[in-house]
Amino acid sequence: KMSKSVGNVVYARDALEEVGADTLRFYYMWDVAPYELQMFNKEIIKKEVWKIFNVLVNLCNYLITLGDKIREVEITAVEDKWVISRLHSLIKNYSENIEKFEYSAAARELANFLLNTLSREYVHITRDRKDEVVVFVLYESLLIVLLLLAPAAPFLSEELYQNFRKKYKLKEESVHLLSWPIANEKWINKELEEKFEIFDIVLRKILAEREKTEYSVRWPLPSVTITCDNKAKEAINLLKRAMVSQANVKKIILKDGKGLTVELDKRITEELEREGYLREVLRRIQALRKKYGLQVDDGISLDITSDFDLSLFKDEIMERVGAEEITFNGKRYPYYIVETIRGNAFHISFQKV
């Protein structure tokens, strides 16, 4: 209970200045149902609501780096169909909950769509695609999110919409002048959404087992054996390509059984070890590009020298880190660092072209 005499009162002006109006409005909407007692907590706002907004901003910025044009495309890949289905389910459920004054349920479903469906799953599943379908799916999803969020967070929604408007030459002057979205029932596939829920459960199980090993998920493993029922097998078979990528294993072996168990093959061959070092090096180069202020479109000249021969991955490295030329012979450029990965030194040197 807040009491002026106790000194634990939070004045509206102070809260607005500290956390922002959009954040405060969304917090009141997201935290609890309007008919329940609310305990105001600024730390929850900073930890949870700011995280939701930061993910939204990062997703919008990520989309802008993928391409300059948005055009209608044919949706065929299962992960694209899943996101579109989830998007239209979100529109339907969000609108219905708002109509019933279930603001918390609406806000939490929107947050789940951002944090899990888009950021944690779809972006990771499609990270190696970056084609026009991915651009379209992300654009449609994020534009709808901005529309749904606009009444509660008008300033943030407008700022992000204006970024889209400038990038994609959108006609409508403001997100607040766009029509409220209407769910298209033909795009909603509950069976597919259920299969992805099973996929998520299995993947979390695999990743939990990986955490018990000495190799992070960036290091490929030979295989994983999954023992499960027929319903789970159907989901895994449908989404096997995505699971291989997300779990970072070369092969999935399915066995009939009750419940769900997973067993990892932890044997690391020389080839898998080299690939693991490649992923670690790529991550560090991307971090260095960011540290030194390089933009996504900036090309670099790069040298990587180590006891592990990464020249077999020359083309992949160049594509993933924006290198216009690459050597493996100790050439020195202005930006230079030695990265130690699992006890082995990698000399990384580059310059902006």
Side-chain angles (χ1 to χ4, degrees):
K1 179 181 177 181
M2 289 187 181
S3 171
K4 196 171 182 179
S5 60
V6 175
N8 63 350
V9 172
V10 178
Y11 291 99
R13 183 185 299 275
D14 296 335
L16 287 168
E17 290 179 353
E18 185 172 349
V19 301
D22 279 5
T23 308
L24 197 58
R25 272 189 297 267
F26 188 78
Y27 166 71
Y28 276 118
M29 180 180 177
W30 167 89
D31 188 34
V32 296
Y35 43 80
E36 294 180 2
L37 180 66
Q38 184 166 39
M39 306 293 288
F40 182 79
N41 190 321
K42 284 191 292 186
E43 296 309 312
I44 292 294
I45 295 175
K46 293 177 181 179
K47 180 181 178 181
E48 300 296 338
V49 179
W50 283 5
K51 179 176 72 173
I52 296 167
F53 283 8
N54 282 335
V55 167
L56 173 59
V57 170
N58 290 337
L59 284 170
C60 289
N61 290 339
Y62 173 70
L63 170 62
I64 285 173
T65 68
L66 295 183
D68 297 323
K69 294 182 180 180
I70 305 294
R71 72 178 190 87
E72 291 282 345
V73 294
E74 184 179 1
I75 306 294
T76 57
V78 64
E79 60 266 26
D80 301 327
K81 289 182 177 180
W82 167 65
V83 171
I84 294 298
S85 176
R86 288 281 296 112
L87 176 64
H88 285 271
S89 291
L90 170 67
I91 297 170
K92 179 181 178 181
N93 296 337
Y94 190 93
S95 299
E96 289 177 354
N97 280 320
I98 291 294
E99 290 290 333
K100 294 185 295 185
F101 299 99
E102 295 287 354
Y103 301 133
S104 179
R108 286 180 179 271
E109 182 158 356
L110 186 146
N112 179 59
F113 181 78
L114 278 173
L115 298 177
N116 294 312
T117 302
L118 288 184
S119 181
R120 190 176 66 83
E121 297 183 62
Y122 185 68
V123 168
H124 285 275
I125 291 172
T126 60
R127 62 190 170 194
D128 294 326
R129 283 177 52 191
K130 297 181 176 62
D131 53 61
E132 61 182 4
V133 179
V134 173
V135 174
F136 174 79
V137 171
L138 281 174
Y139 171 77
E140 285 289 303
S141 300
L142 291 171
L143 183 61
I144 292 298
V145 167
L146 295 183
L147 278 166
L148 298 177
L149 188 62
F155 301 110
L156 177 62
S157 298
E158 182 67 9
E159 180 181 350
L160 295 175
Y161 176 80
Q162 291 303 324
N163 292 341
F164 283 180
R165 185 173 177 237
K166 180 180 179 181
K167 179 73 173 183
Y168 304 118
K169 299 178 175 56
L170 305 181
K171 294 181 180 179
E172 198 60 76
E173 294 182 358
S174 170
V175 69
H176 303 294
L177 297 177
L178 294 171
S179 300
W180 188 258
I182 298 174
N184 189 334
E185 294 283 352
K186 77 174 186 178
W187 280 109
I188 297 176
N189 185 335
K190 287 300 181 183
E191 183 180 352
L192 180 59
E193 291 186 32
E194 183 179 344
K195 282 183 167 59
F196 260 91
E197 289 176 6
I198 296 171
F199 164 86
D200 188 53
I201 292 170
V202 176
L203 181 61
R204 286 175 184 266
K205 183 85 170 177
I206 296 172
L207 296 181
E209 289 299 312
R210 289 205 60 138
E211 287 182 0
K212 300 175 184 178
T213 73
E214 58 180 308
Y215 296 100
S216 73
V217 75
R218 284 186 292 276
W219 290 74
L221 294 177
S223 67
V224 59
T225 300
I226 305 171
T227 303
C228 58
D229 58 24
N230 287 332
K231 190 174 183 180
K233 283 178 68 176
E234 288 180 10
I236 294 168
N237 281 322
L238 178 66
L239 306 167
K240 186 174 285 187
R241 179 175 59 83
M243 186 163 288
V244 164
S245 173
Q246 292 289 82
N248 197 13
V249 294
K250 296 300 181 181
K251 185 179 180 182
I252 292 177
I253 302 168
L254 292 174
K255 290 185 176 181
D256 293 326
K258 295 181 179 180
L260 172 63
T261 61
V262 300
E263 183 179 352
L264 292 167
D265 182 351
K266 308 179 188 71
R267 295 171 297 174
I268 299 293
T269 65
E270 183 177 341
E271 180 182 355
L272 292 176
E273 185 178 46
R274 189 180 291 115
E275 189 176 331
Y277 279 115
L278 168 68
R279 285 177 175 249
E280 295 282 4
V281 169
L282 287 173
R283 185 176 69 87
R284 283 162 168 78
I285 295 172
Q286 295 289 22
L288 288 170
R289 285 183 58 106
K290 185 176 182 180
K291 176 182 177 181
Y292 291 114
L294 272 67
Q295 301 300 312
V296 174
D297 296 333
D298 290 337
I300 61 172
S301 297
L302 173 68
D303 182 86
I304 305 171
T305 304
S306 72
D307 292 335
F308 284 85
D309 182 14
L310 297 181
S311 62
L312 294 172
F313 304 101
K314 176 181 177 180
D315 292 340
E316 181 178 353
I317 295 172
M318 293 180 70
E319 180 181 356
R320 295 281 290 275
V321 303
E324 296 188 10
E325 60 176 322
I326 186 171
T327 54
F328 301 89
N329 56 17
K331 192 171 184 178
R332 188 65 64 89
Y333 292 112
Y335 300 131
Y336 171 76
I337 193 170
V338 179
E339 292 281 353
T340 301
I341 304 171
R342 298 180 67 82
N344 293 286
F346 288 80
H347 300 258
I348 302 170
S349 182
F350 68 92
Q351 68 178 8
K352 179 180 174 182
V353 176

